[in-house]
Amino acid sequence: MTAGIINVLKPCGMTSHDVISFMRRVLNTKKIGHSGTLDPDAAGVLPVFAGTATRLLEYALEDGKSYRAEITFGVKTDTGDDSGTVVQTSALPTCSAEEFTAVLQEFTGVQKQMPPMYSALKLNGQPLYKLARKGIEVEREAREIFISRLELISFNPQKAVLDVECSKGTYIRTLLEDICARLGVCGTMSFLLRTSAGGFKIEDAVTLQELEAEPLRYLLPEETAVMHLAEAVLTERQAWRITQGVATSMAGMADGLYRLKGQSGEFYGIGKAAEGVMKGVKILHQADKPQELI
């Protein structure tokens, strides 16, 4: 079975699910998932996981993301981007670029954000966007997000372009609307490009045309998804025991999650150390039984 990760450059006009359907065909495998949904009108980095690598999705999703986004001032849509219907208009902002930059700094750090109705979040198993399309709005709970960087790239009374670095679960559309509301005007997202997702960068992303021609050429090792975790190199005996589900003493290991590696560089999966004992929590591959135990 094909196993690994591909850093896909998702084009505008496709849903993330469309990309997965495409990748199932070119990789000839059904077991595929992606890290972090991108809206159909957005482009950029979409890490796609195939085969046993899909078991690492929950760990890859912990990392932050970065975007380049454009605001168009003076209009607000029901979807928060320019694919929606205009529901409100306003005057254009009268502030300078310096004043706008000062407002941006108010939106850095830890904050609460209300998820939009036009989102893939589910209520009783149904995505919110399906309810929104029927004109139904339901109560949502604000979620904690973290904005580590907001940098102004360009600004004029009609449009502004920003670079954003943020935690997972951040809705850029909503962030831009909130910034505009702080200025006392309407605004909507008119462009979004995801420039990174965890350790995956846009400069390394691969187009669908490239993938269709040589899909396996761009397949990255499963371990790529969890390079942010510390490495634990195991002896043959430790590797065999831990991958068999046996908690094993590893003195001197700080508590936490680790990438489990063999002495020859084999990647076994994810382990968790606690009080000097290592236990496998997501084992992808079994180690061979040491010769002395056969």
Side-chain angles (χ1 to χ4, degrees), residues 145-190:
I145 61 168
F146 180 75
I147 307 295
S148 54
R149 184 171 74 95
L150 268 175
E151 181 181 350
L152 182 62
I153 304 303
S154 66
F155 176 82
N156 63 57
Q158 286 78 38
K159 295 179 183 291
V161 176
L162 316 175
D163 278 350
V164 184
E165 292 181 3
C166 57
S167 62
K168 67 171 185 175
T170 301
Y171 287 92
I172 305 299
R173 289 172 288 145
T174 302
L175 174 65
L176 301 188
E177 286 183 329
D178 291 344
I179 291 169
C180 291
R182 169 65 180 79
L183 294 172
V185 300
C186 293
T188 195
M189 185 177 75
S190 46

Coordinates of all heavy atoms in Angstrom, one line a residue, residues 145-190:
I145 N -8.3 31.1 20.1 CA -7.3 31.0 19.1 C -6.1 31.8 19.5 O -6.1 32.6 20.5 CB -7.8 31.5 17.7 CG1 -8.2 33.0 17.8 CG2 -9.0 30.7 17.2 CD1 -8.5 33.7 16.5
F146 N -5.0 31.7 18.7 CA -3.8 32.5 19.0 C -3.3 33.0 17.7 O -3.0 32.2 16.7 CB -2.7 31.6 19.7 CG -1.5 32.3 20.0 CD1 -1.4 33.2 21.1 CD2 -0.3 32.1 19.2 CE1 -0.2 33.9 21.4 CE2 0.9 32.8 19.5 CZ 0.9 33.7 20.6
I147 N -3.1 34.3 17.6 CA -2.5 35.0 16.4 C -1.1 35.4 16.8 O -0.9 36.3 17.7 CB -3.3 36.2 16.0 CG1 -4.8 35.9 15.8 CG2 -2.7 36.8 14.7 CD1 -5.1 34.9 14.7
S148 N -0.1 34.8 16.2 CA 1.3 35.1 16.6 C 1.9 36.2 15.8 O 2.8 36.9 16.2 CB 2.2 33.8 16.4 OG 2.0 33.3 15.1
R149 N 1.3 36.4 14.6 CA 1.9 37.5 13.7 C 0.8 38.0 12.8 O 0.1 37.3 12.2 CB 3.1 37.1 12.9 CG 3.7 38.2 12.1 CD 5.1 37.7 11.5 NE 4.8 36.8 10.4 CZ 4.8 37.2 9.1 NH1 5.0 38.4 8.8 NH2 4.6 36.3 8.2
L150 N 0.7 39.4 12.7 CA -0.2 40.0 11.7 C 0.7 41.2 11.1 O 1.0 42.1 11.8 CB -1.4 40.7 12.4 CG -2.7 39.8 12.5 CD1 -3.7 40.6 13.3 CD2 -3.2 39.5 11.1
E151 N 1.0 41.0 9.9 CA 1.9 42.0 9.2 C 1.2 42.6 8.0 O 0.7 41.9 7.1 CB 3.2 41.3 8.8 CG 4.2 42.3 8.1 CD 5.5 41.6 7.7 OE1 5.7 40.5 8.1 OE2 6.2 42.3 6.9
L152 N 1.2 43.9 7.9 CA 0.6 44.6 6.8 C 1.5 44.6 5.6 O 2.7 45.1 5.7 CB 0.2 46.0 7.2 CG -0.5 46.9 6.1 CD1 -1.8 46.2 5.8 CD2 -0.7 48.3 6.6
I153 N 1.1 44.1 4.5 CA 1.9 44.0 3.3 C 1.6 45.2 2.4 O 2.5 45.8 1.8 CB 1.7 42.7 2.5 CG1 2.0 41.5 3.4 CG2 2.5 42.6 1.2 CD1 3.4 41.5 4.0
S154 N 0.3 45.6 2.2 CA -0.1 46.7 1.4 C -1.4 47.2 1.9 O -2.2 46.5 2.5 CB -0.1 46.4 -0.1 OG -1.2 45.5 -0.3
F155 N -1.6 48.5 1.7 CA -2.9 49.2 2.2 C -3.3 50.3 1.3 O -2.4 51.2 0.9 CB -2.7 49.6 3.6 CG -3.9 50.4 4.2 CD1 -4.9 49.7 4.7 CD2 -3.9 51.7 4.2 CE1 -6.0 50.3 5.3 CE2 -5.0 52.4 4.7 CZ -6.1 51.7 5.3
N156 N -4.6 50.4 1.0 CA -5.2 51.6 0.4 C -6.6 51.6 0.8 O -7.1 50.6 1.4 CB -5.0 51.6 -1.1 CG -5.7 50.5 -1.8 OD1 -6.9 50.3 -1.7 ND2 -5.0 49.7 -2.6
P157 N -7.4 52.7 0.6 CA -8.8 52.7 1.1 C -9.7 51.6 0.6 O -10.8 51.3 1.2 CB -9.3 54.1 0.7 CG -8.0 54.9 0.6 CD -7.0 54.0 0.0
Q158 N -9.3 50.9 -0.5 CA -10.2 49.9 -1.1 C -9.8 48.5 -0.6 O -10.6 47.6 -0.3 CB -10.1 49.9 -2.6 CG -10.8 51.0 -3.3 CD -10.1 52.3 -3.2 OE1 -8.8 52.4 -3.3 NE2 -10.8 53.4 -3.0
K159 N -8.5 48.3 -0.4 CA -8.0 46.9 -0.1 C -6.8 46.9 0.8 O -6.0 47.9 0.9 CB -7.6 46.1 -1.4 CG -8.8 45.9 -2.3 CD -8.3 45.1 -3.6 CE -9.4 44.9 -4.6 NZ -10.4 43.9 -4.1
A160 N -6.6 45.8 1.5 CA -5.4 45.6 2.3 C -5.0 44.2 2.2 O -5.8 43.3 2.1 CB -5.6 46.0 3.8
V161 N -3.6 44.0 2.2 CA -3.1 42.6 2.1 C -2.3 42.4 3.4 O -1.5 43.2 3.8 CB -2.2 42.4 0.9 CG1 -1.6 41.1 0.9 CG2 -3.0 42.6 -0.4
L162 N -2.5 41.2 4.1 CA -1.9 40.9 5.3 C -1.2 39.5 5.3 O -1.7 38.6 4.5 CB -3.0 40.8 6.5 CG -4.0 41.9 6.6 CD1 -5.0 41.5 7.7 CD2 -3.4 43.2 6.9
D163 N -0.2 39.4 6.1 CA 0.3 38.1 6.4 C -0.1 37.7 7.8 O 0.1 38.5 8.7 CB 1.9 38.0 6.2 CG 2.3 37.9 4.8 OD1 1.5 37.6 3.9 OD2 3.5 38.0 4.5
V164 N -0.6 36.5 7.9 CA -1.1 36.0 9.2 C -0.4 34.7 9.6 O -0.3 33.8 8.8 CB -2.6 35.8 9.2 CG1 -3.2 35.4 10.5 CG2 -3.4 37.0 8.6
E165 N 0.0 34.6 10.9 CA 0.5 33.4 11.4 C -0.4 33.1 12.6 O -0.6 34.0 13.5 CB 1.9 33.4 11.9 CG 2.9 33.5 10.7 CD 4.4 33.6 11.2 OE1 4.6 33.5 12.4 OE2 5.2 33.8 10.4
C166 N -1.0 31.9 12.7 CA -2.1 31.6 13.7 C -2.1 30.2 14.1 O -1.5 29.3 13.5 CB -3.4 32.0 13.1 SG -3.8 31.2 11.6
S167 N -2.9 29.9 15.1 CA -3.1 28.5 15.6 C -4.1 27.8 14.7 O -4.8 28.5 13.9 CB -3.6 28.6 17.0 OG -4.9 29.2 17.1
K168 N -4.2 26.5 14.8 CA -5.2 25.7 14.1 C -6.6 26.2 14.6 O -6.7 26.7 15.7 CB -5.0 24.2 14.4 CG -5.3 23.8 15.8 CD -5.3 22.3 16.0 CE -5.7 21.9 17.4 NZ -5.9 20.5 17.5
G169 N -7.5 26.1 13.7 CA -8.9 26.4 14.1 C -9.2 27.9 13.9 O -10.3 28.3 14.3
T170 N -8.3 28.7 13.4 CA -8.5 30.1 13.2 C -9.2 30.3 11.9 O -8.8 29.8 10.8 CB -7.2 30.9 13.2 OG1 -6.5 30.7 14.5 CG2 -7.5 32.4 13.0
Y171 N -10.3 31.0 11.8 CA -11.0 31.4 10.6 C -10.5 32.8 10.1 O -10.8 33.8 10.8 CB -12.5 31.4 10.8 CG -13.0 29.9 10.9 CD1 -13.2 29.3 12.1 CD2 -13.4 29.2 9.8 CE1 -13.6 28.0 12.3 CE2 -13.8 27.9 9.9 CZ -14.0 27.3 11.1 OH -14.4 26.0 11.2
I172 N -9.8 32.8 9.0 CA -9.2 34.0 8.6 C -10.3 35.0 8.1 O -10.3 36.2 8.3 CB -8.2 33.8 7.4 CG1 -7.1 32.8 7.9 CG2 -7.6 35.1 7.0 CD1 -6.3 33.3 9.0
R173 N -11.4 34.5 7.5 CA -12.5 35.3 7.1 C -13.1 36.1 8.3 O -13.4 37.3 8.2 CB -13.6 34.4 6.5 CG -13.3 33.8 5.2 CD -14.4 32.8 4.8 NE -14.3 31.6 5.5 CZ -15.4 30.9 5.9 NH1 -16.6 31.3 5.7 NH2 -15.2 29.7 6.6
T174 N -13.3 35.4 9.4 CA -13.8 36.0 10.6 C -12.9 37.0 11.2 O -13.3 38.1 11.6 CB -14.2 34.9 11.6 OG1 -15.1 34.0 11.0 CG2 -14.8 35.5 12.9
L175 N -11.6 36.6 11.2 CA -10.6 37.6 11.7 C -10.6 38.9 10.9 O -10.6 40.0 11.5 CB -9.2 36.9 11.6 CG -8.0 37.8 11.9 CD1 -8.0 38.2 13.4 CD2 -6.7 37.1 11.6
L176 N -10.7 38.8 9.6 CA -10.7 40.0 8.8 C -11.9 40.8 9.0 O -11.9 42.1 9.1 CB -10.6 39.6 7.3 CG -9.3 38.9 6.9 CD1 -9.2 38.7 5.4 CD2 -8.0 39.5 7.4
E177 N -13.1 40.1 9.2 CA -14.3 40.9 9.5 C -14.2 41.6 10.8 O -14.7 42.7 10.9 CB -15.5 39.9 9.5 CG -16.0 39.4 8.1 CD -17.2 38.5 8.2 OE1 -17.3 37.8 9.2 OE2 -18.0 38.5 7.2
D178 N -13.6 40.9 11.8 CA -13.5 41.5 13.1 C -12.6 42.8 13.1 O -12.8 43.8 13.8 CB -13.0 40.5 14.1 CG -14.0 39.4 14.4 OD1 -15.2 39.6 14.1 OD2 -13.6 38.4 15.0
I179 N -11.5 42.7 12.3 CA -10.6 43.8 12.1 C -11.3 45.0 11.5 O -11.2 46.1 11.9 CB -9.4 43.4 11.3 CG1 -8.5 42.4 12.0 CG2 -8.6 44.7 10.8 CD1 -7.4 41.8 11.2
C180 N -12.1 44.7 10.5 CA -12.9 45.8 9.8 C -13.9 46.4 10.8 O -14.1 47.6 10.8 CB -13.6 45.2 8.6 SG -12.5 44.8 7.2
A181 N -14.6 45.5 11.6 CA -15.5 46.1 12.6 C -14.9 47.0 13.5 O -15.5 48.0 14.0 CB -16.2 44.9 13.3
R182 N -13.6 46.7 13.9 CA -12.9 47.5 14.8 C -12.6 48.9 14.2 O -12.6 50.0 14.9 CB -11.6 46.9 15.2 CG -10.5 47.7 15.9 CD -11.0 48.2 17.3 NE -10.0 49.0 17.9 CZ -9.8 50.3 17.7 NH1 -10.6 50.9 16.8 NH2 -8.9 50.9 18.3
L183 N -12.5 49.0 12.9 CA -12.4 50.2 12.1 C -13.7 50.9 11.9 O -13.7 52.1 11.5 CB -11.7 50.0 10.8 CG -10.3 49.4 10.8 CD1 -9.9 49.1 9.4 CD2 -9.3 50.5 11.3
G184 N -14.8 50.2 12.2 CA -16.1 50.8 12.0 C -16.6 50.8 10.5 O -17.4 51.5 10.1
V185 N -16.0 49.8 9.8 CA -16.4 49.6 8.4 C -16.7 48.1 8.1 O -16.4 47.3 8.9 CB -15.3 50.1 7.4 CG1 -15.0 51.6 7.6 CG2 -14.0 49.3 7.5
C186 N -17.3 47.9 6.9 CA -17.4 46.5 6.5 C -16.2 46.0 5.7 O -15.5 46.8 5.2 CB -18.7 46.4 5.6 SG -20.2 46.7 6.4
G187 N -16.1 44.7 5.6 CA -15.0 44.2 4.8 C -15.2 42.7 4.6 O -15.9 42.0 5.4
T188 N -14.6 42.2 3.5 CA -14.8 40.8 3.2 C -13.4 40.3 2.6 O -12.7 41.0 2.1 CB -15.9 40.5 2.2 OG1 -16.2 39.1 2.2 CG2 -15.6 40.9 0.8
M189 N -13.2 39.0 2.8 CA -12.0 38.4 2.3 C -12.1 38.2 0.8 O -13.0 37.5 0.4 CB -11.7 37.1 3.0 CG -10.4 36.4 2.7 SD -10.1 34.9 3.6 CE -11.2 33.8 2.8
S190 N -11.2 38.7 0.0 CA -11.2 38.6 -1.4 C -10.1 37.7 -2.0 O -10.1 37.5 -3.2 CB -11.2 40.0 -2.1 OG -10.2 40.8 -1.5

